[in-house]
């Protein structure tokens, strides 16, 4: 199997370049790994889909049963990286990272550990242990192991030292601290990218052609992506209705199950309504990408120092 979608060479793991890529990569990752879509985390705050590990017998488990997926670091995450962190606050009440905070922290840790490098891509974990995923013998070996057979090499794979090395070099909990200090900036930038790239895509659509049920799917898809990935955007007090309610209502107005007689006015209104919301969000977060640039540059420099130290 090829590299899972996302995290290609020369690409940051933080904040997607185009939100349609986020949507498409999630779908492709589900096909490649066999993991159900509801067990995959997908959000434009990161450029990659992330598996939601399952808890079983006091351990966490990667959800794929396809041996071809096991060359990738995401198949071997330690529990501390595979799950949102939990802790007790000063009053003893349990707290935990949000899914977005966890995803951002994991992206930072994967880059800092050297398991992902923008200039080289992902580390092949099996190759580090002398196994070639392209050979039928290794595929068969992993298949047996997934069904419960003992395998000393596979049983011994543990990525904990990679992540522990960054804590040693940069300070325990460095990624949590980084997320606490920059989460809102990255989340805002992700919303800005989502709105901006969907506006660009929407403006390429021939509205008149959308009366065709097949072509109408384009508008429905863009609306669904917007409703999914902009669900948490705060609605200004001046707005009449919440952004999530307005976004989720748009696809149903041009329902794909409707006959071809959906009026041109209805389609045009849906198109303009979606564009109006996206324009509002883009305006609200128009400076987010610029504001993030200097912080991201500092973060990259810091992560490069960690990665160089871990490699020496």
């Amino acid at each position: 199997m090829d590299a899972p979608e996302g995290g290609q060479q020369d690409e940051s793991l933080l904040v997607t370049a185009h939100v349609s890529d986020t949507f498409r990569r999630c779908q492709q990752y589900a096909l490649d790994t066999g993991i159900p879509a509801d067990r995959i985390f997908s959000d434009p705050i990161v450029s990659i889909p992330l598996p939601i590990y399952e808890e079983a017998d006091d351990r966490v488990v990667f959800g794929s049963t396809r041996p071809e997926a096991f060359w990738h670091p995401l198949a071997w995450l330690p529990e501390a990286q595979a799950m949102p962190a939990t802790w007790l606050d000063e009053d003893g009440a349990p707290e935990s990272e949000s899914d977005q905070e966890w995803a951002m922290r994991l992206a930072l840790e994967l880059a800092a550990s050297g398991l992902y490098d923008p200039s080289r891509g992902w580390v092949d974990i099996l190759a580090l242990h002398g196994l070639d995923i392209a050979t039928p013998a290794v595929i068969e070996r992993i298949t047996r192991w997934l069904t419960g057979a003992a395998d000393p090499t596979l049983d011994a794979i543990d990525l904990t030292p990679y992540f522990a090395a960054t804590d040693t070099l940069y300070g325990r909990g460095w990624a949590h601290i980084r997320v606490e200090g920059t989460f809102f900036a990255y989340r805002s930038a992700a919303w800005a990218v989502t709105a901006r790239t969907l506006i660009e895509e929407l403006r390429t659509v021939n509205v008149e052609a959308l009366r065709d049920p097949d072509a109408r799917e384009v508008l429905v898809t863009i609306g669904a992506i917007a409703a999914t990935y902009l669900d948490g955007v705060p609605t200004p007090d001046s707005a009449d209705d919440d952004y999530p309610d307005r976004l989720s209502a748009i696809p149903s107005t041009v329902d794909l199950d409707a006959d071809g007689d959906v009026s041109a006015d209805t389609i045009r209104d849906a198109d303009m309504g979606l564009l109006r919301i996206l324009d509002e969000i883009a305006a609200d977060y128009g400076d987010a990408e610029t504001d993030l640039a200097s912080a991201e540059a500092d973060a990259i420099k810091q992560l490069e120092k960690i990665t160089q130290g871990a490699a020496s």
Side-chain angles (χ1 to χ4, degrees):
M1 185 176 72
D2 294 334
E5 286 283 332
Q8 305 299 328
Q9 290 186 6
D10 301 320
E11 181 178 19
S12 170
L13 296 184
L14 286 173
V15 183
T16 189
H18 197 302
V19 73
S20 289
D21 290 341
T22 304
F23 181 76
R24 177 180 56 80
R25 287 170 173 177
C26 181
Q27 293 181 312
Q28 189 62 49
Y29 191 63
L31 291 173
D32 289 344
T33 63
I35 298 175
D38 64 355
R39 300 299 301 171
I40 299 172
F41 176 82
S42 177
D43 189 281
I45 201 167
V46 289
S47 62
I48 53 172
L50 297 172
I52 299 173
Y53 272 52
E54 302 169 1
E55 297 185 76
D57 301 325
D58 297 323
R59 62 192 182 99
V60 296
V61 180
F62 180 57
S64 177
T65 57
R66 297 184 180 175
E68 297 87 351
F70 281 80
W71 70 269
H72 198 278
L74 291 178
W76 301 95
L77 294 177
E79 183 172 353
Q81 281 67 44
M83 308 290 285
T86 59
W87 63 91
L88 299 178
D89 66 15
E90 57 185 16
D91 297 322
E95 292 190 10
S96 66
E97 292 174 307
S98 68
D99 290 340
Q100 288 80 10
E101 289 169 331
W102 159 71
M104 182 178 165
R105 171 174 63 85
L106 177 56
L108 289 169
E109 291 180 317
L110 286 165
S113 67
L115 292 170
Y116 173 76
D117 186 308
S119 65
R120 296 190 298 271
W122 293 98
V123 169
D124 184 334
I125 300 302
L126 296 179
L128 294 178
H129 294 80
L131 302 175
D132 183 355
I133 193 62
T135 61
V138 170
I139 293 293
E140 182 180 351
R141 181 174 173 177
I142 297 173
T143 300
R144 291 197 303 269
W145 179 71
L146 288 172
T147 59
D151 188 301
T153 299
L154 297 175
D155 289 336
I157 294 177
D158 182 8
L159 301 189
T160 302
Y162 290 88
F163 298 106
T166 67
D167 277 349
T168 299
L169 291 166
Y170 201 45
R172 185 174 178 82
W174 68 270
H176 293 279
I177 295 169
R178 177 70 184 172
V179 171
E180 285 179 359
T182 61
F183 175 72
F184 183 75
Y186 277 97
R187 185 181 63 175
S188 298
W191 287 338
V193 168
T194 298
R196 175 177 55 76
T197 57
L198 288 181
I199 289 169
E200 293 169 358
E201 195 164 335
L202 198 57
R203 284 178 172 157
T204 67
V205 173
N206 181 349
V207 177
E208 299 306 323
L210 292 174
R211 294 198 67 185
D212 181 299
D214 293 332
R216 208 156 62 223
E217 185 175 358
V218 176
L219 180 56
V220 172
T221 299
I222 294 174
I225 292 173
T228 298
Y229 294 130
L230 294 172
D231 181 64
V233 178
T235 305
D237 294 337
S238 58
D240 295 332
D241 298 301
D242 287 344
Y243 285 147
D245 291 341
R246 291 164 64 190
L247 287 169
S248 61
I250 287 172
S252 63
T253 65
V254 287
D255 188 355
L256 292 180
D257 292 331
D259 59 33
D261 294 328
V262 176
S263 73
D265 286 343
T266 297
I267 295 170
R268 188 178 296 106
D269 287 347
D271 178 77
M272 294 305 298
L274 178 55
L275 187 58
R276 188 178 304 112
I277 299 171
L278 295 175
D279 277 334
E280 291 174 14
I281 295 172
D284 289 343
Y285 295 93
D287 296 330
E289 293 177 82
T290 302
D291 293 343
L292 183 59
S294 59
E296 191 171 48
D298 290 342
I300 290 172
K301 290 179 182 177
Q302 292 170 336
L303 295 180
E304 285 176 348
K305 292 179 181 178
I306 300 169
T307 305
Q308 291 167 0
S312 63

